[in-house]
Amino acid sequence: MQKPQYRPDIDGLRAIAVILVVAYHAGVPGFGFGFIGVDVFFVISGYLITSLLLRELESTGSISLLSFYGRRVRRLMPAMVVVITASLVLGYILLTPIGQQQSLAESAIASIAFFANYYFIATTGGYFDGPTDQVPLLHMWSLSVEEQFYAVWPVLLIVSVAIAKRYEKRAWTIISMLAVLGIGASFFYGVWLSNTNPNAAYFSVLSRGWQLLAGVLLACAVGRGLLVRASPVVVTALAWFGVGLLLVAAFVIEGSHAYPGWAGVLPVLSALALIVAGFGSSANPVSRLLSTRPFVFVGKISYPWYLWHWPLLAMARAYQLGEGDLIRDVALASLSFLLAYLTYRLVEKPVVGFFTQRSVSNQQLVKLGAFSSVLLALAAFGLMSHANQQKSMGFYRQLESAAEDVPDLRGKCHLSSPFQGLPDESICVNRSDREAPDLLLWGDSHADHYSPMLDELSDDLQFAFLQRTFSTCPPLMGYSHGYTQGHPQENDRNCELFKEEMASELSRLAERGLSGVVLSASWLGRPSSETHLSLAEEGLRDTVDMLLDYGLRVIVVAPTPVFSVPMTDCLARRTVESCSTFQRRLEKRREAILAVMHEIAEEEADVRIVDFYARLCPGGRCHSLLGDTVVYRDEHHLTTRAARELSPHARNDIEWLL
């Protein structure tokens, strides 16, 4: 294998990758596909690191795991320690102790352990989920994927060499076959997972490993001399092919929520093409451009820039309650570039120089990395302890309680995708002392949050109710939100299955004495939009007709107010009056869906509309705090306490329903 040569064009390719990611995260128009920069990083990483391992294998006949992990510590830890430490300090200053600081501390520990990707699978709605733009260490998922891969790959190389020696085969053949098999398995698993669990598909090393293995396979091909120097025309065509694939990706991938899937092939092939084209850079204008000083400079600081940019953006958004501001975000991205340069000059280079001058051994480096991780973990635990102490005091305690104030039946009876059948009726009825439910509560999470109100009335009016609720699934027969990809589309399919089961169950419930149904949903979402209103009206009419055919009375609960930020977060930072300004102005939607509801109620004597707007919004201004009650646990769901306090205002209607 040839002696390693510095490839300035690869630093230039790193620059392209990090610019794409930072521009995407900063919300720069036209960069909605920029998250694919991480895919490019994976390919580069797989190629460069495997090239080094193969050279070590060829020159020494073995691979030293201690040396390898020592090099990883030297490369990753200096900047990482600085950025995570700074993030914890900024989190202490800018974030609230009612969840935000705790989450930051947890994600810091997960990042230190290189397990952040699976932490975010478990704790977020996905990389593209709105609230994740306020998660300061979300970007650490990619480092976790890499280090999980490199926890295994060098070991597999060693095993491959041992197998080759035992069976008198060429190690290169075994390694290449292993890479090919890994690419196939990981890729097709990722395609399947992108459709069934997009969140896991985006973050998991099992669905991302093929991108690193693509770089591995290229390193194997280069190491065996399989890539001969092509003519300038061929090399130039290959380089422009790589550029073209990135441009295609800009149109194909932008806004995709089922990623990487098949679309992930585009940035991977692009990176491979540009790396291969760089072997003939003297005759290749693209590689020559990537080798120029500006691109190389950005490439050299790409790692600290990647580390710095996201915590600044996320914490600014969290501090300003998620408010978008392109000028602010571009300014912070620019500030992160300056911090990246300072980190490179004042931390990374001096630390590497110190390790080299002092001849620090790989064993000492690994120990130092472990010691640094322990110190960071202790700092994270310190922030968590402080936050937990703060949230148990004064108004923070009330807000923390409100944020977690969910209905008792929610845990077992509020469903989400994938739909696996209705829960047993006995666990979703609020009282066990009655043979059959008298009322049915049916809808999505906006029905679920009214279950405490019904429960409050059930003792006085002597009834039991059955809860049947499913996330993002309004009780509209024949209606679909019409999503075409990813988790929303999957939820639509599961919603239909849920409604089919509900239609079957209703006949049995009616036979057993059910007297009425309460319908509620997030009406101010898609159902009230201009494109879906007529479909929602048809669906509501079909639902009401079905219920009336069973001899049931029906209450439809009017829309509740919607805010653009979680009210508990807002109250932790601002006044009640200030938080009211975050109410989303959806008057036209509210009027449109209310008109549909009232028209149906006027036509049918056994249908009533219950509207709590006057109570929730006295004087037309919707408040997040009424008396000493926090009304909302997030942007639009009522707290259990607030729902119970609505019971006097619903008593007459519920009594009528019985």
Side-chain angles (χ1 to χ4, degrees):
M1 192 170 186
Q2 294 180 347
K3 183 180 179 180
Q5 292 183 337
Y6 171 62
R7 291 275 304 274
D9 61 301
I10 291 182
D11 267 333
L13 186 55
R14 281 195 181 109
I16 296 295
V18 76
I19 289 170
L20 287 175
V21 172
V22 174
Y24 168 69
H25 285 158
V28 177
F31 283 87
F33 69 105
F35 55 88
I36 67 171
V38 173
D39 305 52
V40 176
F41 277 129
F42 284 157
V43 176
I44 293 172
S45 176
Y47 169 71
L48 291 179
I49 291 179
T50 301
S51 296
L52 292 173
L53 289 171
L54 293 179
R55 290 186 185 107
E56 180 182 354
L57 182 62
E58 187 176 61
S59 60
T60 66
S62 64
I63 293 173
S64 169
L65 292 178
L66 188 62
S67 297
F68 175 76
Y69 294 120
R71 291 194 298 269
R72 297 303 290 166
V73 169
R74 184 172 58 192
R75 172 74 178 102
L76 299 178
M77 289 303 290
M80 184 175 168
V81 167
V82 169
V83 173
I84 291 182
T85 301
S87 297
L88 293 173
V89 172
L90 286 173
Y92 174 80
I93 298 170
L94 300 176
L95 303 183
T96 68
I98 53 171
Q100 291 181 338
Q101 290 179 351
Q102 290 88 338
S103 296
L104 172 62
E106 291 172 358
S107 61
I109 294 168
S111 300
I112 296 160
F114 295 109
F115 203 68
N117 52 335
Y118 289 105
Y119 171 79
F120 291 125
I121 288 174
T123 60
T124 70
Y127 183 79
F128 302 100
D129 190 38
T132 56
D133 69 356
Q134 299 171 46
V135 179
L137 295 179
L138 180 71
H139 65 322
M140 299 300 288
W141 76 270
S142 61
L143 270 73
S144 295
V145 166
E146 282 199 45
E147 295 318 300
Q148 288 161 19
F149 179 82
Y150 292 125
V152 175
W153 181 240
V155 177
L156 291 179
L157 287 180
I158 294 171
V159 172
S160 298
V161 171
I163 293 173
K165 288 180 179 178
R166 181 183 179 99
Y167 295 100
E168 297 182 350
K169 301 290 185 180
R170 291 182 177 179
W172 296 93
T173 303
I174 303 294
I175 295 169
S176 298
M177 288 177 58
L178 187 63
V180 170
L181 291 173
I183 289 171
S186 174
F187 175 74
F188 286 109
Y189 174 72
V191 170
W192 172 78
L193 198 61
S194 294
N195 293 313
T196 58
N197 191 341
N199 186 16
Y202 193 89
F203 289 123
S204 175
V205 66
L206 298 178
S207 53
R208 288 289 193 162
W210 69 274
Q211 298 178 318
L212 288 142
L213 286 169
V216 166
L217 193 60
L218 177 58
C220 292
V222 172
R224 292 304 294 163
L226 299 180
L227 297 180
V228 297
R229 287 189 177 273
S231 68
V233 174
V234 173
V235 170
T236 300
L238 187 61
W240 285 113
F241 174 70
V243 173
L245 286 175
L246 278 182
L247 295 176
V248 171
F251 294 97
V252 172
I253 295 177
E254 184 169 8
S256 173
H257 285 220
Y259 193 81
W262 291 97
V265 171
L266 292 171
V268 170
L269 288 180
S270 173
L272 291 173
L274 290 169
I275 292 172
V276 172
F279 285 107
S281 58
S282 60
N284 170 12
V286 175
S287 297
R288 285 203 304 271
L289 177 64
L290 293 177
S291 300
T292 56
R293 291 183 66 182
F295 280 98
V296 171
F297 172 73
V298 174
K300 285 186 179 296
I301 66 169
S302 60
Y303 173 58
W305 194 15
Y306 180 81
L307 290 181
W308 273 113
H309 84 284
W310 186 245
L312 298 184
L313 291 171
M315 280 197 235
R317 290 165 181 163
Y319 184 75
Q320 296 189 322
L321 300 171
E323 291 183 276
D325 188 333
L326 179 60
I327 295 176
R328 175 202 65 199
D329 290 346
V330 170
L332 288 173
S334 303
L335 174 61
S336 68
F337 183 83
L338 174 61
L339 291 173
Y341 172 71
L342 294 175
T343 303
Y344 175 71
R345 288 298 303 269
L346 303 179
V347 178
E348 289 189 302
K349 290 189 74 174
V351 168
V352 171
F354 174 82
F355 289 156
T356 303
Q357 290 176 357
R358 298 297 180 91
S359 299
V360 178
S361 67
N362 290 306
Q363 184 178 22
Q364 290 173 315
L365 284 172
V366 172
K367 288 181 179 179
L368 183 60
F371 181 68
S372 300
S373 297
V374 170
L375 290 180
L376 282 175
L378 290 174
F381 278 118
L383 177 63
M384 190 182 302
S385 176
H386 162 79
N388 289 335
Q389 184 180 20
Q390 287 290 107
K391 76 174 185 179
S392 65
M393 301 166 59
F395 190 46
Y396 279 138
R397 181 177 182 177
Q398 185 179 353
L399 293 177
E400 173 69 13
S401 176
E404 298 175 353
D405 192 13
V406 298
D408 293 337
L409 291 176
R410 180 178 177 83
K412 294 180 179 179
C413 304
H414 182 63
L415 308 180
S416 58
S417 293
F419 177 64
Q420 297 175 326
L422 296 174
D424 188 82
E425 179 184 304
S426 62
I427 66 173
C428 293
V429 175
N430 72 314
R431 295 174 59 168
S432 59
D433 60 343
R434 300 183 71 86
E435 293 183 3
D438 304 288
L439 301 181
L440 170 67
L441 175 62
W442 180 13
D444 58 19
S445 60
H446 279 231
D448 169 67
H449 72 187
Y450 284 119
S451 67
M453 178 191 73
L454 293 179
D455 189 57
E456 184 76 9
L457 292 168
S458 66
D459 286 338
D460 182 28
L461 298 178
Q462 288 299 299
F463 71 88
F465 72 90
L466 169 66
Q467 176 169 331
R468 293 299 193 210
T469 56
F470 192 101
S471 286
T472 323
C473 184
L476 306 174
M477 300 304 294
Y479 169 87
S480 172
H481 286 313
Y483 292 106
T484 58
Q485 61 183 5
H487 178 73
Q489 182 185 38
E490 184 69 17
N491 196 81
D492 276 353
R493 288 196 290 264
N494 283 277
C495 175
E496 289 305 310
L497 296 175
F498 170 73
K499 288 187 289 188
E500 289 173 8
E501 286 289 315
M502 288 300 304
S504 299
E505 186 179 53
L506 274 165
S507 61
R508 299 191 296 271
L509 292 172
E511 290 174 0
R512 294 167 56 211
L514 190 74
S515 62
V517 180
V518 177
L519 301 177
S520 184
S522 179
W523 304 116
L524 298 182
R526 280 206 169 196
S528 58
S529 65
E530 290 184 9
T531 56
H532 286 69
L533 183 62
S534 61
L535 298 174
E537 178 178 1
E538 182 179 352
L540 184 57
R541 288 183 178 278
D542 288 345
T543 300
V544 169
D545 288 344
M546 178 180 66
L547 297 175
L548 295 177
D549 287 343
Y550 286 120
L552 304 172
R553 287 183 169 182
V554 181
I555 281 179
V556 182
V557 183
T560 49
V562 176
F563 296 83
S564 59
V565 301
M567 285 295 94
T568 50
D569 288 349
C570 186
L571 289 170
R573 299 187 185 281
R574 305 192 183 189
T575 64
V576 175
E577 290 72 21
S578 176
C579 289
S580 296
T581 63
F582 286 97
Q583 181 188 355
R584 294 183 61 190
R585 299 305 173 191
L586 300 170
E587 287 85 356
K588 289 185 177 180
R589 286 195 176 194
R590 176 178 165 80
E591 290 171 4
I593 197 68
L594 271 179
V596 169
M597 293 175 179
H598 284 294
E599 184 178 335
I600 294 173
E602 289 170 3
E603 296 170 0
E604 304 290 349
D606 285 333
V607 178
R608 283 190 182 184
I609 310 302
V610 173
D611 192 349
F612 297 114
Y613 188 82
R615 169 62 184 161
L616 296 173
C617 306
R621 191 175 182 85
C622 300
H623 293 297
S624 52
L625 192 69
L626 292 174
D628 62 349
T629 299
V630 179
V631 182
Y632 304 94
R633 67 175 189 261
D634 51 26
E635 294 93 335
H636 48 84
H637 292 107
L638 299 174
T639 61
T640 294
R641 182 177 176 182
R644 289 188 180 278
E645 291 182 1
L646 290 175
S647 58
H649 305 275
R651 190 183 191 284
N652 291 339
D653 292 301
I654 297 301
E655 191 171 14
W656 166 84
L657 198 60
L658 295 167

